[in-house]
Amino acid sequence: MRLKLLIPFFLFNVLNSQENKNLNYKEDQIYFNFNFDFQLKGIKDYQQNGFSRSFNIGLLKDISFNKKGNKGIALGLGYGYSRLVNNLDVGNDLNFIVEGESALRNRLSYHTIQFPIELRLRTSTKETFAFWRVYLGYRFNFNFLAKYKPFFGRKTKLENYISEFSHCLSLSLGFNTWNIRFETGLSPIIKVSSNSKNSNESFYVSSVGLVFYLL
């Protein structure tokens, strides 16, 4: 576990120490975003019975493609927390089950170490900080410390119920401080067992929210 965390820290420091005399403009940033999370794929009898949400915070190292600095790529390291509110309950085979048409607000939460990459198009310059941006991103996630809190009952830790690794695509666009962010999962976070058919459904997390970039 320590080795997994040390490798990205080492790579981040190497990138941060590099200098390119020809590409002077950089947009190194701290990012913060708050999202509303939801499940796109239809799962029989599944209900989202509350405000599922997540937030992410981290650092991005900008690498410009040209001297103007309006095209580039960014590599980063971040942390995320997600909390899903729905009618899913813990099953007996490391999967979740759907509680029929139950309106119970069961809560599933987990933490994430994130490794984002963004392809960046923007209208910024060295002198102008209010600009349009379109950032297309990919993020690899290491998920850990999952907990489950049923509507009735105590919070419990979960092991092996949450996918240890996941990845997603994102799109951030906006002007100046305010930016909208869309994200869709490329891999399932959990498995849901159907009560009617003994089959498993993949549960993907998508989100929409606001992202703030701080220079």
Side-chain angles (χ1 to χ4, degrees):
M1 173 64 185
R2 291 183 179 178
L3 181 60
K4 292 180 181 177
L5 295 179
L6 286 174
I7 291 174
F9 272 114
F10 173 77
L11 293 176
F12 191 85
N13 287 330
V14 170
L15 287 171
N16 195 47
S17 64
Q18 291 179 342
E19 292 184 359
N20 189 327
K21 296 180 180 180
N22 295 324
L23 306 180
N24 296 318
Y25 177 72
K26 301 287 191 301
E27 198 188 358
D28 299 340
Q29 295 165 322
I30 298 173
Y31 68 87
F32 174 82
N33 65 65
F34 184 80
N35 312 295
F36 169 68
D37 296 342
F38 52 91
Q39 154 76 9
L40 278 179
K41 181 181 178 182
I43 296 178
K44 183 176 174 56
D45 296 326
Y46 169 80
Q47 293 181 6
Q48 183 160 305
N49 295 328
F51 181 46
S52 296
R53 56 195 180 273
S54 63
F55 75 85
N56 308 299
I57 188 170
L59 300 170
L60 286 163
K61 171 63 180 178
D62 191 87
I63 304 172
S64 298
F65 289 158
N66 54 13
K67 291 183 179 180
K68 190 175 180 181
N70 61 350
K71 298 180 180 66
I73 191 171
L75 306 179
L77 177 66
Y79 162 80
Y81 173 79
S82 299
R83 179 178 171 181
L84 307 176
V85 185
N86 48 47
N87 66 335
L88 296 181
D89 198 2
V90 175
N92 297 321
D93 54 356
L94 299 183
N95 290 345
F96 285 80
I97 58 174
V98 181
E99 284 291 333
E101 296 184 358
S102 168
L104 294 181
R105 298 177 61 185
N106 301 327
R107 298 185 292 275
L108 170 65
S109 63
Y110 57 94
H111 302 258
T112 306
I113 299 297
Q114 304 173 338
F115 308 100
I117 301 174
E118 289 184 345
L119 179 62
R120 301 178 143 197
L121 303 176
R122 58 211 173 197
T123 60
S124 60
T125 65
K126 295 178 183 178
E127 295 80 20
T128 304
F129 295 98
F131 55 86
W132 290 97
R133 60 164 60 87
V134 177
Y135 294 167
L136 178 63
Y138 167 83
R139 193 179 72 220
F140 179 79
N141 304 312
F142 170 65
N143 307 310
F144 65 101
L145 201 59
K147 294 182 179 181
Y148 174 74
K149 174 63 172 68
F151 190 74
F152 297 106
R154 296 182 178 180
K155 181 183 292 186
T156 58
K157 292 183 180 180
L158 298 179
E159 294 184 6
N160 303 320
Y161 278 80
I162 300 292
S163 299
E164 185 177 12
F165 301 104
S166 62
H167 55 130
C168 60
L169 289 177
S170 65
L171 175 65
S172 302
L173 64 159
F175 178 78
N176 201 6
T177 303
W178 295 95
N179 301 273
I180 301 174
R181 185 174 183 276
F182 305 94
E183 180 182 304
T184 182
L186 298 177
S187 56
I189 295 296
I190 60 177
K191 291 288 186 180
V192 179
S193 295
S194 170
N195 289 331
S196 57
K197 304 176 174 178
N198 220 5
S199 61
N200 295 330
E201 298 276 3
S202 296
F203 188 100
Y204 294 81
V205 176
S206 297
S207 64
V208 59
L210 295 175
V211 56
F212 301 92
Y213 293 99
L214 307 176
L215 294 176

